Amino acid sequence: MRMIHSTYTILLGGDVRPTERLRQALQGSRFIAADSGMRHAEVLGAEPELWVGDFDSTDAALASRWPNVEQRTYPPAKNETDGEIATAEAIEQGASRLIFVGALGGERSDHALQHLFHAMSLAEHGFDILLTSGEEEATPLLPGSRTIDLPKGSLFSVIGFSALDGLDITGARYPLAGFSLPYGSSRTVSNVAEGPVEFHLREGKAMILARPYDFSGA
């Protein structure tokens, strides 16, 4: 029987700002690094138990700082990204909640976009998902309810990955009730939290993008 640990954090190669909110989210988590995502471990005070990837973006200096972390090397010509390999390892260990640090922003917009779609697929398979850079967070929204605790005055948006039907948003400056959002519409971009925000969705799938430290809309 495999051991189950509910929360695993996957360290990815995008930008990270080590905020207090990020540190709190990572408490009690275990860590797996994907290639250059290992560079975030030190600033987050984390020691990954596994380091995977093709290591094409890891320099010798970074590798030398973590000689005791188990490495699993994969060929560059592979069918999965390093992040997907790290995720599969976490799931194999029994993860039910996955936090992707460094999943947003960075030099590769294709990778950032793929992280969002990968996260949505994982959410559809029942995993609890958070993607974060420390200053920006993304959470999948599927049919049902979800509450996100945001500081009053901070910005958030709901980006439809399909047409949405029966969308309720409460606890926001611009609430919605039973709203139908056409696919591609910007109607749910740039809302402002009044505190914890509650979402209900009857049909469709979306990503909630929040900026807990951004009060430019207040």
Side-chain angles (χ1 to χ4, degrees), residues 100-123:
F100 295 93
V101 172
L104 306 170
E107 297 180 354
R108 294 287 301 269
S109 57
D110 55 344
H111 282 196
L113 186 59
Q114 176 57 33
H115 294 327
L116 291 170
F117 279 98
H118 185 212
M120 185 64 71
S121 175
L122 290 166

Side-chain angles (χ1 to χ4, degrees), residues 57-139:
S57 53
T58 295
D59 58 31
L62 179 59
S64 68
R65 293 202 297 273
W66 300 96
N68 297 322
V69 175
E70 179 186 353
Q71 293 187 25
R72 293 184 189 167
T73 303
Y74 293 79
K78 56 188 185 300
N79 295 324
E80 304 86 11
T81 65
D82 295 333
E84 287 176 313
I85 291 170
T87 301
E89 293 284 356
I91 292 172
E92 178 63 26
Q93 293 301 316
S96 60
R97 174 167 170 77
L98 291 160
I99 302 173
F100 295 93
V101 172
L104 306 170
E107 297 180 354
R108 294 287 301 269
S109 57
D110 55 344
H111 282 196
L113 186 59
Q114 176 57 33
H115 294 327
L116 291 170
F117 279 98
H118 185 212
M120 185 64 71
S121 175
L122 290 166
E124 289 177 315
H125 284 84
F127 293 94
D128 185 11
I129 303 295
L130 172 67
L131 303 92
T132 176
S133 67
E135 61 183 1
E136 186 174 28
E137 300 171 357
T139 308

